[in-house]
């Protein structure tokens, strides 16, 4: 069966969050707070280790008092906020209002950058008649991010975990996405960076293709193979069960086959 629809993860797939240092700098500047470089480096390192930035690295380990929240953080806006402000509060910052400010900052369109090939791939899918949905484990509305970066017109539907009360890899989220774009699971390709969360689409019968969750500068063409998969299946037809990683590896992973995609956490994924 030919691929007639593509589901994309958000963070680490189509977009990447700013660095932890830029995240912190933006909030401090907004609040008129100036700190010595030594302190900035210290806070940046501590926030990174704490996994306090949604879309950044996961906490390792998750603090025991936050373990239950962490496991269900993407099921509602309230859980998501409580989880990440809780993680940030494991770091002692100079102003208690910074914890809320940091959480608010990560939802700003300016905090996100699309991967270099995102527009070309989404446009290519539109030209091929393939329907597109964004399927994300997230606790807030990411639509303004797509609008601000001029990509909203290339997306047919958004299926966000906090709006459905379930999170990937629960097949119900993928089923809702397939229904939103009017395609059967066997006609759909899921593209994401988290093998556990995004790989859950295979249980529904979707094909799955993975990309690496890398900084924007380090992944200039990771999405390109998606068009090749759609073109291949349109010409040949896909038979048999979907295979994780079935599509050809993108250049970055081919050059470094030992690289692993980190488990994403909220990676807002």
């Amino acid at each position: 069966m030919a691929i007639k629809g593509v589901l994309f993860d958000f963070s680490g797939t189509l977009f990447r969050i700013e660095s932890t240092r830029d995240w912190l700098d933006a909030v401090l500047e907004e609040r008129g707070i100036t700190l010595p470089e030594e302190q900035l480096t210290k806070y940046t390192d501590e926030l990174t280790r704490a996994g306090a930035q949604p879309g950044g690295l996961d906490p390792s380990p998750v603090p025991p008092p936050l373990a239950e929240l962490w496991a269900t953080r993407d099921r509602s806006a309230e859980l998501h906020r409580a989880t990440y402000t809780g993680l940030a509060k494991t770091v002692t910052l100079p102003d208690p209002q910074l914890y809320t400010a940091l959480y608010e900052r990560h939802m700003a369109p300016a905090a996100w950058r699309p991967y270099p090939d995102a527009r070309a791939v989404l446009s290519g899918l539109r030209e091929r008649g393939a329907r597109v949905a964004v399927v994300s484990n997230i606790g807030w509305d990411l639509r303004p991010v797509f609008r601000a970066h001029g990509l909203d017109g290339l997306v047919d539907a958004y299926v966000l975990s906090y709006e459905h009360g379930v999170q990937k890899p629960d097949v119900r989220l993928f089923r809702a996405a397939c229904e939103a774009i009017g395609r059967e699971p066997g006609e759909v390709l899921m593209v994401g960076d988290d093998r556990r969360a995004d790989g859950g689409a295979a249980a529904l019968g979707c094909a799955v293709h993975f990309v690496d969750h890398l900084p924007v500068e380090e992944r200039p063409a990771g999405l390109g193979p998606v068009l090749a998969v759609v073109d291949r299946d349109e010409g040949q037809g896909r038979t048999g069960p979907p295979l994780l990683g079935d599509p050809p590896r993108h250049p970055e992973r081919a050059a470094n086959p030992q690289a692993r995609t980190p488990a994403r956490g909220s990676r807002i994924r």
Side-chain angles (χ1 to χ4, degrees):
M1 189 178 295
I3 296 295
K4 298 180 181 179
V6 181
L7 312 180
F8 285 97
D9 171 53
F10 170 51
S11 174
T13 300
L14 289 175
F15 282 80
R16 170 81 182 208
I17 190 73
E18 63 192 344
S19 70
T20 308
R21 175 58 183 268
D22 288 345
W23 178 54
L24 178 60
D25 282 346
V27 170
L28 292 174
E29 181 179 356
E30 183 180 76
R31 302 192 67 80
I33 299 175
T34 302
L35 297 175
E37 180 62 31
E38 182 178 346
Q39 279 188 278
L40 288 171
T41 300
K42 174 179 178 292
Y43 291 139
T44 297
D45 291 345
E46 291 178 351
L47 288 167
T48 299
R49 289 196 297 271
Q53 184 189 37
L57 295 178
D58 293 345
S60 182
V62 176
L66 295 175
E68 186 174 349
L69 272 177
W70 177 258
T72 60
R73 64 198 174 281
D74 297 312
R75 293 182 185 174
S76 75
E78 295 76 17
L79 288 171
H80 193 269
R81 181 181 288 269
T83 300
Y84 283 97
T85 54
L87 290 168
K89 286 178 180 179
T90 64
V91 178
T92 303
L93 297 175
D95 181 345
Q97 295 185 15
L98 288 174
Y99 302 110
T100 296
L102 284 168
Y103 186 83
E104 295 294 333
R105 167 66 188 183
H106 100 275
M107 296 186 286
W112 295 89
R113 292 174 60 192
Y115 281 95
D117 56 345
R119 180 180 300 277
V121 170
L122 291 174
S123 296
L125 291 171
R126 178 57 56 93
E127 292 168 0
R128 288 162 172 78
R131 301 275 289 175
V132 169
V134 173
V135 187
S136 179
N137 278 353
I138 197 168
W140 50 277
D141 186 3
L142 52 71
R143 295 172 182 87
V145 175
F146 281 79
R147 288 196 291 269
H149 290 276
L151 297 180
D152 181 62
L154 299 173
V155 176
D156 298 296
Y158 296 89
V159 179
L160 312 181
S161 62
Y162 84 102
E163 293 180 340
H164 291 262
V166 295
Q167 59 192 45
K168 298 180 288 186
D170 193 314
V171 296
R172 288 176 291 178
L173 205 61
F174 300 111
R175 182 178 293 112
C178 291
E179 292 173 354
I181 60 174
R183 299 290 187 262
E184 294 298 321
E187 301 175 318
V188 171
L189 172 68
M190 174 67 207
V191 182
D193 69 293
D194 188 316
R195 278 157 173 71
R196 178 179 178 275
D198 299 316
L204 190 63
C206 301
V208 182
H209 175 72
F210 295 113
V211 296
D212 289 325
H213 189 119
L214 294 171
V216 168
E217 298 80 6
E218 297 178 27
R219 211 196 76 193
L223 293 168
V226 172
L227 296 180
V229 172
V230 173
D231 289 342
R232 180 197 68 190
D233 286 359
E234 183 177 1
Q236 302 176 5
R238 178 165 59 89
T239 60
L243 299 177
L244 300 185
D246 176 49
R249 292 177 172 180
H250 56 74
E252 292 81 6
R253 184 168 292 279
N256 182 13
Q258 299 304 314
R260 293 193 312 118
T261 302
R264 202 169 54 176
S266 172
R267 231 164 281 226
I268 293 184
R269 337 140 178 202

